[in-house]
Amino acid sequence: MSISSLRAAFRYRVARHLVIGPGLLAWGRPRITGQDYIPRKGAVILAANHLAVSDSFYVVLAARRPVMFLAKADYFTQPGLMGKAKKTFFAGMGQIPVDRSGGAASSPALEAATKIVEHGGAWGIHPEGTRSPDGRLYKGKTGAVRVALATGTPIIPIALCNTENRTLKNFWRRDPVTVDVLPPLDLSDASPDDEASVRRATDQLMDILGKHTGQEQVAEYAKPGGK
């Protein structure tokens, strides 16, 4: 293992076990099911709905292994001491800076994701592309399915509930966070050369998430502005 890999693993363990992990357990009192669907080693894509900033951290908590997410590049470029602290924190939690503005700029994101799984890593993604603005489940973007088909990597859906709008005022009245890890998505009828099948597989992924979260589904993309 390279020195950079050792440093990354160390930052992850510190963030996971000493910083974020205890906080998530206390704040969300999470109930996690289906963890055995996530392989402890090897390439995997973890695809979850997106209600709150903490969602990716609950995915990491459930995975019991390092998970790489593609984060907004500006999380890593803010000036000053606070900017440096934010950069260190997100890097420690496996966040990789990319331009996620869409269009031609989305190619670097898919390239980065492909490299993660080609090296046997776990890539975490919220297919909606941003946090839900109103608690509903929005149309999924096709990146996860495209990377899965191109690399032969399984997609594991993860349904998150009760992560949004948690405050000290409603702390004791809120239901525990639930993290339901579900069986791998069936991609047997999808092909990377068939755009329609890629779209169908993505819609199937969102249908599975919607069924388990109970969210109302919306047949349009969420407007950018979330994480």
Side-chain angles (χ1 to χ4, degrees):
M1 183 179 289
S2 67
I3 293 178
S4 60
S5 296
L6 288 172
R7 287 174 177 170
F10 175 75
R11 288 197 301 266
Y12 166 78
R13 289 188 176 92
V14 170
R16 165 65 172 79
H17 296 290
L18 299 180
V19 182
I20 286 296
L24 292 177
L25 291 173
W27 187 250
R29 311 189 305 281
R31 298 174 180 173
I32 304 173
T33 64
Q35 286 177 294
D36 289 343
Y37 286 121
I38 302 176
R40 299 302 292 268
K41 295 181 179 179
V44 68
I45 298 172
L46 307 178
N49 57 311
H50 201 7
L51 295 166
V53 173
S54 61
D55 291 338
S56 59
F57 304 144
Y58 280 108
V59 171
V60 173
L61 190 70
R64 299 174 295 180
R65 59 178 288 189
V67 180
M68 302 295 179
F69 282 82
L70 306 183
K72 290 180 180 179
D74 57 8
Y75 283 176
F76 295 78
T77 58
Q78 295 179 10
L81 185 61
M82 183 60 69
K84 185 175 181 179
K86 184 178 288 188
K87 177 181 178 180
T88 300
F89 170 77
F90 281 107
M93 287 305 296
Q95 310 283 317
I96 298 176
V98 294
D99 185 339
R100 302 190 318 175
S101 57
S106 65
S107 295
L110 293 184
E111 291 174 2
T114 299
K115 289 180 180 179
I116 291 170
V117 297
E118 285 182 342
H119 285 84
W123 172 40
I125 180 174
H126 300 293
E128 291 167 276
T130 189
R131 289 195 302 272
S132 171
D134 53 18
R136 296 185 294 174
L137 184 68
Y138 282 77
K139 185 176 181 179
K141 298 183 178 180
T142 59
V145 170
R146 292 183 187 280
V147 173
L149 293 174
T151 60
T153 304
I155 297 179
I156 308 296
I158 299 181
L160 303 171
C161 292
N162 302 322
T163 60
E164 77 282 15
N165 300 325
R166 301 189 75 86
T167 65
L168 287 174
K169 183 179 292 187
N170 67 16
F171 176 76
W172 292 111
R173 292 185 288 105
R174 290 305 304 268
D175 292 330
V177 168
T178 60
V179 184
D180 293 326
V181 183
L182 306 170
L185 182 68
D186 183 2
L187 295 174
S188 60
D189 293 332
S191 167
D193 301 319
D194 183 352
E195 291 293 326
S197 72
V198 172
R199 181 70 261 169
R200 285 195 302 272
T202 303
D203 291 342
Q204 179 188 1
L205 169 62
M206 304 312 291
D207 288 343
I208 290 171
L209 292 175
K211 177 182 177 181
H212 284 82
T213 63
Q215 291 172 273
E216 177 187 347
Q217 291 187 243
V218 183
E220 62 184 44
Y221 295 114
K223 294 181 179 180
K227 175 178 176 295

